[in-house]
Amino acid sequence: MQSSLPENLIKIENNLKSLTRTRSIYSFLSIAALIAVIYSGLIVAETGNATSIWVGLPKFFDYPVDLFVGSWEYGYRWNLLLLEYLPDLISTINMALFSTAMGTLLAFFLSIFSSRNLIKSKTTVLIFRRIMDICRSFPELVIALVLLYLLGKSALPAVIAIIIHTAGALGKLFSEAIENVDKNPIEGLESCGASWFTRIRFGVVTQALPLFLTYTILRFEINIRASTILGFVGAGGIGEQLYTNIQWKYEADTIAIMFLLVSTIITLDYLSSYWRKSLIGLKS
Amino acid sequence: MIKVEKLNKYFGDNRAVNDVTFEINKPEMIGIIGRSGAGKSTLLRIMNRLTDATSGSIFIEGRNILSLTKKDKRAWQKDCAMIFQQFNLVPRLDVLTNVILGRSNIQGTLRSSLKLFTKDERVDALMALDKLGMAETALQRAETLSGGQQQRVAICRAMMQQPKMILADEPIASLDPLNARLVMESLRNIHREKQITVLANLHTLDTAKNYCDRIIGMRLGEIVFDDVPSSLKDDVAREIYGAEAEEAFEPTVTSTSLGDEQFAEAG
Ligand SMILES: Nc1ncnc2c1ncn2[C@@H]1O[C@H](COP(=O)(O)OP(=O)(O)O)[C@@H](O)[C@H]1O
Ligand SMILES: [Mg+2]
């Protein structure tokens, strides 16, 4: 199938694949972080008894069972816990939404000035490309950890980190999309005496928008995972609640939070693939 | 009125336009002929300021339009509408918006970008569309139209600019016979009704002879012929077209016209 696609479509296909791969890596990271949190919780609990890791390990596998047993014992009020932690979930989603929105805006701005078909000055293009390279060369988790250390525990470091990385990563994809648009419509507008901005508004944005949205939705999914993980290390939201509840061994709460997280991620996955399909459908 | 003087354009070492000089003193319908690579498109693109010339000048009513920059340059582009072989509409926008964007220079960036068009603009656009039988497609996306329909929409957009002249770069090269005729007829009608100059690159000799009052022949960037169609002898035309002569000499679609008027002229 791929071999029959034109070169620029293959590139888009590859970009989408690599975004999806990043999303999988972040899913995996979330799970790894969760296990680490559970495990560290167990070690803390066991240090009093001075047991080694290897004695603690069988207990680690007991833990999932304990979680369900604990929740069962909690009784019918368990579903009220879902409501209790909903605000934290919303705050994590908000964090991801806000930073994706700001990052996308910055990405759009950066991508315009990094596209050779819109900017005549080679130096300008080079400078803006360099800025984007730097922005995306550090994963948001790394930037966030440094900022959390510098600025203290709050949502701000996480938001800043995600914005920076999103701007760089999406900016590059956007600029590729822009450089692939058909130049004829832009030239048509230029020949009428339309301003530079009008040319971009109609000549570029109308053509590249479906691709912009597709990339942005995938990035949003990645950022939800990133915000959750960053919660573990002090950025607030549902991740932080999960961490705290595991530490305190509140089994019912832990299960409720995991349930919220998993259903959010599954729902978003469905919505996202639905949106993407309808966007690509519009394109043809 | 229009005076092109010693115009040159180099692409690297390639001299695409070579010391081109000519004058247009009254509204005329002019056909530019020549084989591909002769510099026809480059010449038109320089006149519309899509491409910068290497040297030379173009005086329009005493003003050198090649020295205009920014706002003045765009104001000139508004006065000098251009029609392209590939139509160059915005494919995902509806026909009406495409046409109204012909006014974007006057509207200003903010109003254009937000599509805050006035009622007058919509009425003008619809009337222009109606004139070319395209009013029914006003709300369709441009990309859903056939080539011939898109070119007619492009002519409407050009008319929205209220231009002082029209440049057409191979306007019928991608069209079927019927649409080719429709497009050439409308260009000539515009020339007559609005009394403006139409400068069209035409690949085939027949079309140029049938529709134009004057033919400019280009070869290797130079003007090698500039006169009324009747004085273009076959051997000169062959010289202009070179290896492409066979193709260019073929009697074409546009040689029989649509209306009675043209039959009268031909006879
Ligand atoms: N953007 C460009 N870059 C480099 N060379 C060009 C460019 N546009 C045109 N040329 C060259 O200039 C010459 C004239 O081209 P053009 O004006 O398109 O001819 P025509 O329209 O008569 O076929 C050709 O040799 C062509 O290869
Ligand atoms: Mg050409």
Side-chain angles (χ1 to χ4, degrees):
Chain A
M1 201 35 216
Q2 254 218 15
S3 60
S4 64
L5 286 172
E7 198 176 330
N8 60 335
L9 286 187
I10 290 179
K11 214 166 177 189
I12 291 166
E13 174 95 358
N14 287 339
N15 285 339
L16 289 175
K17 270 201 189 127
S18 104
L19 271 174
T20 322
R21 198 160 47 235
T22 312
R23 189 182 62 180
S24 309
I25 292 172
Y26 274 79
S27 300
F28 175 77
L29 278 179
S30 320
I31 294 166
L34 182 65
I35 292 173
V37 170
I38 293 172
Y39 198 41
S40 71
L42 284 175
I43 290 183
V44 170
E46 297 295 327
T47 34
N49 305 336
T51 29
S52 79
I53 291 172
W54 297 111
V55 183
L57 200 61
K59 298 212 166 175
F60 176 74
F61 291 110
D62 290 343
Y63 189 66
V65 181
D66 290 351
L67 279 178
F68 285 101
V69 172
S71 306
W72 180 256
E73 284 168 356
Y74 195 81
Y76 69 95
R77 281 169 301 121
W78 180 81
N79 41 29
L80 289 181
L81 286 177
L82 291 180
L83 272 184
E84 187 182 330
Y85 292 109
L86 196 60
D88 294 305
L89 175 69
I90 291 174
S91 105
T92 292
I93 294 177
N94 270 344
M95 208 158 93
L97 203 61
F98 176 76
S99 38
T100 308
M102 296 311 281
T104 305
L105 226 89
L106 272 175
F108 178 66
F109 175 79
L110 288 172
S111 67
I112 297 246
F113 290 94
S114 316
S115 300
R116 274 166 303 183
N117 54 343
L118 302 185
I119 302 295
K120 292 230 168 73
S121 150
K122 285 195 178 112
T123 349
T124 312
V125 169
L126 212 73
I127 291 171
F128 277 86
R129 284 192 180 178
R130 210 39 82 238
I131 295 175
M132 297 196 310
D133 290 345
I134 295 168
C135 284
R136 73 169 184 282
S137 57
F138 302 101
E140 51 265 72
L141 299 180
V142 175
I143 310 177
L145 284 175
V146 174
L147 287 178
L148 274 166
Y149 178 74
L150 292 176
L151 303 176
K153 292 190 168 187
S154 78
L156 189 66
V159 167
I160 295 176
I162 297 176
I163 290 178
I164 291 176
H165 188 79
T166 301
L170 277 186
K172 173 157 187 292
L173 296 177
F174 283 7
S175 135
E176 262 176 32
I178 290 175
E179 289 190 341
N180 267 321
V181 302
D182 181 6
K183 72 173 186 358
N184 283 348
I186 310 174
E187 209 160 60
L189 290 167
E190 186 178 2
S191 78
C192 305
S195 67
W196 182 77
F197 188 89
T198 311
R199 259 139 53 199
I200 289 178
R201 160 74 178 85
F202 291 110
V204 177
V205 173
T206 54
Q207 289 189 71
L209 196 63
L211 213 46
F212 283 2
L213 289 176
T214 307
Y215 289 147
T216 305
I217 291 169
L218 273 168
R219 193 76 228 173
F220 174 58
E221 285 190 79
I222 294 168
N223 289 347
I224 290 258
R225 289 155 174 78
S227 324
T228 309
I229 300 174
L230 290 174
F232 292 160
V233 290
I238 196 101
E240 186 157 327
Q241 287 292 356
L242 186 57
Y243 183 83
T244 315
N245 279 295
I246 290 174
Q247 296 290 316
W248 288 96
K249 295 202 176 258
Y250 290 157
E251 284 100 353
D253 301 59
T254 305
I255 283 283
I257 292 169
M258 284 186 183
F259 180 83
L260 281 176
L261 262 177
V262 170
S263 24
T264 308
I265 284 174
I266 291 175
T267 313
L268 268 178
D269 189 27
Y270 272 101
L271 277 181
S272 151
S273 68
Y274 173 77
W275 282 331
R276 262 178 293 148
K277 277 195 191 107
S278 67
L279 283 171
I280 308 247
L282 272 180
K283 247 184 82 180
S284 61
Chain B
M1 263 174 60
I2 300 170
K3 206 163 143 193
V4 177
E5 268 181 8
K6 294 214 166 88
L7 202 61
N8 284 289
K9 173 68 184 180
Y10 287 89
F11 290 109
D13 287 337
N14 180 8
R15 199 172 188 179
V17 175
N18 187 349
D19 258 339
V20 162
T21 300
F22 64 92
E23 276 182 40
I24 305 171
N25 292 313
K26 58 175 196 302
E28 277 181 307
M29 176 109 181
I30 304 175
I32 304 180
I33 60 169
R35 67 185 90 164
S36 44
K40 307 181 297 292
S41 299
T42 308
L43 174 61
L44 290 201
R45 292 170 61 86
I46 291 173
M47 295 185 80
N48 179 266
R49 296 299 314 272
L50 286 174
T51 301
D52 285 327
T54 310
S55 66
S57 39
I58 300 176
F59 288 98
I60 312 275
E61 283 148 12
R63 192 172 61 142
N64 183 5
I65 54 106
L66 294 189
S67 62
L68 302 176
T69 57
K70 303 203 167 83
K71 251 192 149 86
D72 296 332
K73 169 179 148 186
R74 288 193 282 110
W76 160 247
Q77 288 176 315
K78 177 243 146 220
D79 282 342
C80 159
M82 182 126 174
I83 287 160
F84 301 83
Q85 179 176 350
Q86 293 306 326
F87 332 123
N88 294 14
L89 300 171
V90 181
R92 294 171 53 87
L93 278 183
D94 60 78
V95 165
L96 192 68
T97 309
N98 261 296
V99 174
I100 298 179
L101 282 178
R103 289 265 167 91
S104 54
N105 184 264
I106 306 162
Q107 287 159 350
T109 301
L110 189 69
R111 205 152 69 75
S112 283
S113 303
L114 298 176
K115 299 195 202 173
L116 296 173
F117 306 133
T118 64
K119 190 169 178 212
D120 282 348
E121 284 164 345
R122 272 194 291 271
V123 168
D124 285 355
L126 271 174
M127 297 228 297
L129 283 167
D130 190 46
K131 209 162 181 188
L132 294 186
M134 294 297 296
E136 284 89 61
T137 65
L139 297 178
Q140 250 172 276
R141 278 191 191 192
E143 65 191 350
T144 64
L145 304 182
S146 73
Q149 291 177 311
Q150 289 195 41
Q151 194 63 297
R152 281 187 267 163
V153 173
I155 293 178
C156 294
R157 177 171 76 182
M159 291 322 290
M160 274 302 271
Q161 292 176 232
Q162 296 168 322
K164 293 184 180 145
M165 70 184 293
I166 291 185
L167 308 173
D169 189 8
E170 311 257 6
I172 58 169
S174 323
L175 304 187
D176 59 276
L178 176 69
N179 275 298
R181 259 178 281 164
L182 269 170
V183 163
M184 286 314 293
E185 307 268 316
S186 15
L187 286 177
R188 189 168 54 190
N189 287 342
I190 290 165
H191 155 66
R192 286 189 182 154
E193 283 171 24
K194 308 274 177 196
Q195 280 295 304
I196 58 178
T197 292
V198 174
L199 202 57
N201 288 345
L202 297 166
H203 195 73
T204 51
L205 193 57
D206 259 354
T207 316
K209 282 192 164 175
N210 278 331
Y211 290 94
C212 303
D213 322 315
R214 174 177 168 188
I215 290 180
I216 293 180
M218 283 184 80
R219 200 170 154 254
L220 298 173
E222 281 180 292
I223 292 190
V224 291
F225 177 88
D226 183 356
D227 207 338
V228 291
S230 55
S231 37
L232 181 59
K233 301 284 175 293
D234 269 8
D235 55 332
V236 179
R238 262 176 215 289
E239 174 82 24
I240 292 171
Y241 282 112
E244 291 171 20
E246 290 311 313
E247 190 194 338
F249 270 65
E250 263 176 41
T252 47
V253 297
T254 47
S255 53
T256 45
S257 299
L258 290 176
D260 295 330
E261 183 198 352
Q262 274 75 46
F263 282 118
E265 269 184 14

